[in-house]
């Protein structure tokens, strides 16, 4: 009885710790995301807490939802116009990742993201569909509270929705990769050098993206390189870095975002971020699926070769000894009759001649 009680206490303590960790990560990432706010100090083009919330649900299950609600409440309590509005926004921010989690599990999503279907499910179900709840709830609450006028609803809704969706697309894959990360074994020095070169190239392209030159497209070769050579482990962090640099460029109104209104900049930014995330996730998933198929083919070929070798070994007939050869029966004709002299009819002999030859046999009687 005491052991069962201790086990329940241990599980309860573990659940409380997980909830507190999720709440702390949600609150800390929200403060980091608000540094790039664009609408009313609380709507940003990239909302990392949504990605943390979805990743937490995928890794630990729906039992951590109180941590999401607590983190959302602590984040919005200092931003909301009133307590009822804060509670409504908190409810939307909590329900959105829960909807994403339910849709992904319904679709058979795998946390490894090693199949094309997993990437498509995360993009269209986890990000684009699930985050409609938080964007609609949050923008509608601000409109009803009188913070937004009717003309500002759709720009706010667009930024809110795309920001939450981008958080799922670029943050959730990174957290899933970190959860399953292991120190690679038997990796050559050239492989480590290539990884460091990719990191240096990403940083260099980031400086170019945040400059006054409109060169956002330079991030795509890096995404393709990372996906082909390192699959999701390289593509997910690279996509996060490229999107972060693009957001910094948009908030500074530099490069392709200079001299344009908010809605145009948001469409341009989220189109770029969405294309980058889709390219990285889908390409990494396709390459991982191809590699897995090749490994299965090699394994199947090895098994077939082993089976063929065993069949060839077992089909070899042993040589007969002299005594066994003497015990073999005499030659028989087609009707099972034996001949004393071992004579046998030829195969191409006419059937009409057979009875005549049978009549010409010598009588065995003396």
């Amino acid at each position: 009885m005491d052991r069962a009680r201790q086990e329940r206490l241990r599980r309860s303590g573990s659940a409380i710790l997980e909830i507190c960790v999720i709440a702390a990560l949600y609150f800390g990432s929200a403060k980091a995301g608000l540094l790039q706010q664009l609408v009313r100090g609380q709507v940003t083009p990239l909302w990392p807490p949504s990605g943390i919330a979805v990743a937490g649900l995928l890794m630990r299950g729906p039992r951590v939802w109180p941590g999401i609600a607590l983190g959302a409440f602590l984040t919005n309590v200092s931003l909301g116009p009133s307590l009822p509005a804060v509670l409504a926004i908190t409810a939307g921010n909590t329900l959105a990742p829960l909807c994403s989690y339910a849709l992904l599990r319904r679709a058979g999503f795998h946390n490894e993201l090693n199949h094309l279907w997993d990437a498509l499910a995360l993009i269209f179900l986890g990000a684009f569909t699930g985050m409609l709840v938080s964007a609609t709830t949050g923008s509608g609450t601000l409109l009803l509270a009188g913070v937004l006028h009717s003309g500002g609803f759709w720009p706010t809704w667009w930024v809110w929705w795309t920001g939450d969706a981008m958080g799922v697309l670029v943050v959730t894959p990174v957290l899933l990769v970190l959860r399953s990360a292991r120190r690679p074994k038997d990796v050559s020095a050239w492989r480590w050098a290539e990884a460091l070169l990719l990191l240096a190239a990403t940083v260099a392209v980031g400086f170019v993206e945040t400059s006054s030159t409109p060169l956002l497209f330079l991030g795509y070769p890096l995404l393709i390189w990372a996906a082909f050579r390192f699959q999701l482990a390289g593509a997910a962090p690279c996509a996060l870095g490229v999107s972060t640099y693009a957001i910094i460029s948009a908030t500074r109104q530099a490069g392709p975002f200079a001299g344009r209104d908010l809605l145009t900049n948001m469409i341009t930014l989220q189109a770029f971020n969405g294309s980058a995330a889709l390219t990285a996730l889908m390409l990494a998933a396709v390459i991982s699926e191809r590699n897995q198929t090749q490994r299965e083919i090699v394994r199947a070929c090895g098994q077939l070769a082993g089976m063929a070798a065993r069949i060839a070994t077992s089909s070899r007939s042993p040589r007969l000894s002299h005594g066994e050869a003497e015990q073999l029966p005499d030659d028989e004709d087609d009707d099972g009759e034996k001949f004393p002299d071992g004579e046998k009819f030829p195969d191409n002999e006419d059937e009409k001649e057979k009875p005549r030859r049978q009549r010409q046999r010598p009588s065995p009687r003396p």
Side-chain angles (χ1 to χ4, degrees):
M1 188 67 180
D2 293 338
R3 182 177 300 177
R5 183 177 180 182
Q6 291 177 359
E7 183 66 19
R8 288 195 300 269
L9 291 175
R10 187 186 64 82
R11 292 181 180 179
S12 300
S14 177
I16 293 174
L17 179 61
E18 291 176 357
I19 290 173
C20 293
V21 170
I22 293 294
L25 291 175
Y26 192 104
F27 181 76
S29 61
K31 291 299 182 182
L34 290 174
L35 297 177
Q36 307 297 330
Q37 58 81 25
L38 294 175
V39 179
R40 202 193 164 273
Q42 65 184 106
V43 183
T44 69
L46 176 62
W47 188 241
S50 62
I52 292 176
V54 173
L57 292 171
L58 290 174
M59 292 187 292
R60 307 308 303 172
R63 64 180 181 180
V64 299
W65 74 266
I68 301 173
L70 179 59
F73 177 79
L74 295 177
T75 301
N76 291 282
V77 70
S78 60
L79 303 174
S82 61
L83 183 59
V86 170
L87 294 177
I89 294 174
T90 300
N93 290 345
T94 305
L95 290 175
L98 286 173
C99 290
S100 298
Y101 171 78
L103 291 173
L104 291 174
R105 287 301 180 226
R106 183 75 174 178
F109 176 81
H110 300 89
N111 292 350
E112 293 79 12
L113 270 172
N114 53 358
H115 294 87
L116 178 61
W117 172 248
D118 297 331
L120 294 175
L122 182 64
I123 293 168
F124 293 102
L125 297 179
F128 293 160
T129 303
M131 295 302 112
L132 291 172
V133 177
S134 58
T136 304
T137 303
S139 300
T141 300
L142 295 179
L143 180 64
L144 294 176
V147 177
L148 294 176
H149 55 83
S150 58
F153 174 80
W154 287 113
T156 303
W157 182 91
W158 174 266
V159 177
W160 198 311
W161 176 63
T162 53
D164 285 0
M166 289 305 106
V168 175
L169 287 181
V170 302
V171 176
T172 300
V174 175
L175 296 178
L176 294 178
V177 168
L178 291 177
R179 177 180 180 270
S180 59
R182 299 291 186 275
R183 179 177 176 83
K185 299 179 180 179
D186 301 330
V187 178
S188 62
W190 290 107
R191 189 73 165 172
W192 286 108
E194 184 181 7
L196 293 176
L197 182 60
L198 176 62
L199 177 61
T202 304
V203 175
V205 169
F207 282 108
V208 175
E209 287 184 357
T210 55
S211 64
S212 59
T213 55
L215 296 176
L216 291 179
F217 58 87
L218 291 179
Y220 283 96
L222 298 177
L223 297 174
I224 297 173
W225 178 13
F228 264 101
R229 297 294 294 164
F230 302 98
Q231 285 78 59
L232 187 65
C238 188
L240 176 60
V242 170
S243 299
T244 301
Y245 287 127
I247 292 171
I248 294 175
S249 179
T251 54
R252 294 179 179 178
Q253 294 188 349
F257 306 101
R260 305 180 185 275
D261 60 357
L262 175 63
L263 184 59
T264 302
N265 282 342
M266 286 303 96
I267 293 175
T268 303
L269 175 63
Q270 305 300 21
F272 172 79
N273 287 342
S275 301
L278 265 65
T279 301
L281 294 180
M282 295 179 65
L283 190 56
V286 169
I287 298 300
S288 298
E289 194 170 9
R290 184 204 64 178
N291 293 342
Q292 184 177 358
T293 302
Q294 289 180 346
R295 289 191 295 268
E296 292 177 355
I297 291 174
V298 171
R299 188 183 304 110
C301 290
Q303 293 176 354
L304 289 176
M307 293 174 60
R310 289 193 297 270
I311 292 174
T313 302
S314 61
S315 63
R316 295 175 182 173
S317 59
R319 295 182 178 181
L320 299 178
S321 62
H322 181 68
E324 293 173 343
E326 292 179 353
Q327 297 177 1
L328 291 176
D330 295 334
D331 296 336
E332 299 182 2
D333 65 351
D334 295 337
D335 296 332
E337 298 180 356
K338 297 183 180 179
F339 295 92
D341 56 354
E343 182 182 1
K344 186 178 182 181
F345 292 128
D347 296 337
N348 58 354
E349 183 179 4
D350 191 359
E351 294 295 333
K352 295 180 180 180
E353 299 294 331
K354 186 174 180 179
R356 187 176 64 182
R357 291 194 59 178
Q358 289 178 349
R359 289 192 300 269
Q360 294 177 358
R361 294 179 182 175
S363 175
R365 298 176 181 177

